[in-house]
Amino acid sequence: KNSVWENADLLNVPDAIIAFVDLLIGENQFDKAREFVNNERKLNREMPPPFSPYTALSYEASLYVAEAKIYLANNKLEEAVGHLNKAIEIQPQIYITWDILEQAYISKGLYREAKQSAQRAIDLNPTISVGYKWLSEVCWTLGEKEEAINASKKYLSLGKEKEALNQYLPIDLIDAWFQKNLGAMYLVLGRYEEAIVSLQTAINIEPNDAISQNLLARSLLMLGHRKEAIESYQKVIRLDTNNSVAY
């Protein structure tokens, strides 16, 4: 029970719980999913701590997240939110729980609640990317354009302290997403020069991102830089042969 290998196996249990519940939900076996989670609770397993307290769900938190997913699949938002908040109380720093909570609010058109939740994620974890991501997206949807831009800029202004809470992806790829997001917003607002700066930064990190290249081409074209825009569109075509906009 105390061997290194058995502990390693136990560390995978939370992920396995979520994966199995997702499978049952996909097959509309909601009663079986509830029974599975209830049986897990009765087992009262003695578990080692998560291998990464910043990115891996604990056993107890995974059970609350699994139950929340079952409630969401049955359109029971209030119950789902309650269980997600219990998981957050246990591990306020975990990306997946906040992400599910945000998507649950947005799926019901509850953008104000989603904004409050994103701000709460940031208040509890000032360097967590998911809070800034959703705050930016929700504010944009609500028409709060400058607040949306400032949320992305705030995350990008954080230093090395943001690394611990954002290990689900390399930090540079997360930065590239925020730069692309900024570029897209600037483009819509007609702030083309700022869009070009952000998008070029994103492309420097992820040169094979067709979306960033496409947005860059459009920004260049709007400023009358036809030659550079055509070059960028040609890159889009090489990266995404199905992109009709670039042809």
Side-chain angles (χ1 to χ4, degrees), residues 18 24 37 50 71 90-91 113 119-120 122 182 217 235:
I18 299 296
L24 293 174
V37 174
Y71 281 123
I90 298 167
Q91 286 181 289
E113 289 81 354
Q119 187 60 60
R120 179 173 162 235
I122 295 169
L182 268 177
K235 291 178 183 177

Side-chain angles (χ1 to χ4, degrees), residues 130-187:
V130 67
Y132 295 98
K133 171 185 181 290
W134 284 114
L135 183 60
S136 182
E137 293 196 0
V138 170
C139 284
W140 185 263
T141 301
L142 290 170
E144 299 166 356
K145 309 300 187 185
E146 284 304 316
E147 194 169 350
I149 287 171
N150 288 335
S152 285
K153 290 172 68 175
K154 174 63 177 176
Y155 176 79
L156 289 167
S157 72
L158 298 174
K160 277 196 165 290
E161 67 271 16
K162 67 187 177 186
E163 293 182 5
L165 288 182
N166 301 294
Q167 296 173 5
Y168 60 94
L169 275 177
I171 286 295
D172 59 344
L173 294 184
I174 301 174
D175 287 354
W177 183 92
F178 278 95
Q179 292 287 4
K180 178 168 60 178
N181 188 50
L182 268 177
M185 291 188 286
Y186 286 141
L187 175 59

Side-chain angles (χ1 to χ4, degrees), residues 5-231:
W5 288 113
E6 288 185 2
N7 274 347
D9 288 340
L10 288 174
L11 288 172
N12 293 319
V13 168
D15 285 342
I17 288 171
I18 299 296
F20 188 52
V21 167
D22 282 342
L23 180 64
L24 293 174
I25 290 171
E27 296 176 348
N28 294 322
Q29 297 189 57
F30 305 122
D31 290 339
K32 191 170 182 179
R34 290 190 196 92
E35 181 184 358
F36 167 70
V37 174
N38 289 335
N39 287 339
E40 275 296 325
R41 287 198 180 282
K42 291 175 184 176
L43 287 174
N44 196 25
R45 296 177 188 263
E46 291 184 21
M47 301 289 290
F51 67 89
S52 170
Y54 298 116
T55 58
L57 281 169
S58 69
Y59 177 66
E60 186 179 4
S62 73
L63 292 175
Y64 281 121
V65 171
E67 287 177 300
K69 287 191 163 206
I70 298 167
Y71 281 123
L72 286 172
N74 286 275
N75 293 311
K76 295 183 177 180
L77 179 65
E78 185 176 350
E79 293 89 341
V81 169
H83 279 71
L84 289 169
N85 280 324
K86 287 178 181 177
I88 287 168
E89 287 174 13
I90 298 167
Q91 286 181 289
Q93 71 278 24
I94 299 297
Y95 177 100
I96 185 176
T97 315
W98 291 107
D99 202 46
I100 296 169
L101 182 57
E102 289 297 314
Q103 292 184 61
Y105 281 133
I106 290 170
S107 70
K108 300 297 183 182
L110 300 173
Y111 293 103
R112 290 293 172 191
E113 289 81 354
K115 180 181 177 182
Q116 291 171 1
S117 177
Q119 187 60 60
R120 179 173 162 235
I122 295 169
D123 291 341
L124 291 172
N125 314 280
T127 64
I128 193 167
S129 63
V130 67
Y132 295 98
K133 171 185 181 290
W134 284 114
L135 183 60
S136 182
E137 293 196 0
V138 170
C139 284
W140 185 263
T141 301
L142 290 170
E144 299 166 356
K145 309 300 187 185
E146 284 304 316
E147 194 169 350
I149 287 171
N150 288 335
S152 285
K153 290 172 68 175
K154 174 63 177 176
Y155 176 79
L156 289 167
S157 72
L158 298 174
K160 277 196 165 290
E161 67 271 16
K162 67 187 177 186
E163 293 182 5
L165 288 182
N166 301 294
Q167 296 173 5
Y168 60 94
L169 275 177
I171 286 295
D172 59 344
L173 294 184
I174 301 174
D175 287 354
W177 183 92
F178 278 95
Q179 292 287 4
K180 178 168 60 178
N181 188 50
L182 268 177
M185 291 188 286
Y186 286 141
L187 175 59
V188 171
L189 295 174
R191 294 160 62 173
Y192 305 122
E193 291 182 356
E194 290 169 286
I196 289 169
V197 172
S198 291
L199 293 166
Q200 192 60 67
T201 303
I203 290 167
N204 288 343
I205 299 170
E206 263 195 300
N208 294 327
D209 189 319
I211 295 175
S212 293
Q213 288 282 4
N214 203 355
L215 293 171
L216 176 62
R218 288 169 60 189
S219 300
L220 289 165
L221 192 60
M222 294 304 294
L223 283 177
H225 303 316
R226 290 182 57 83
K227 180 181 178 181
E228 293 89 341
I230 290 171
E231 290 174 355

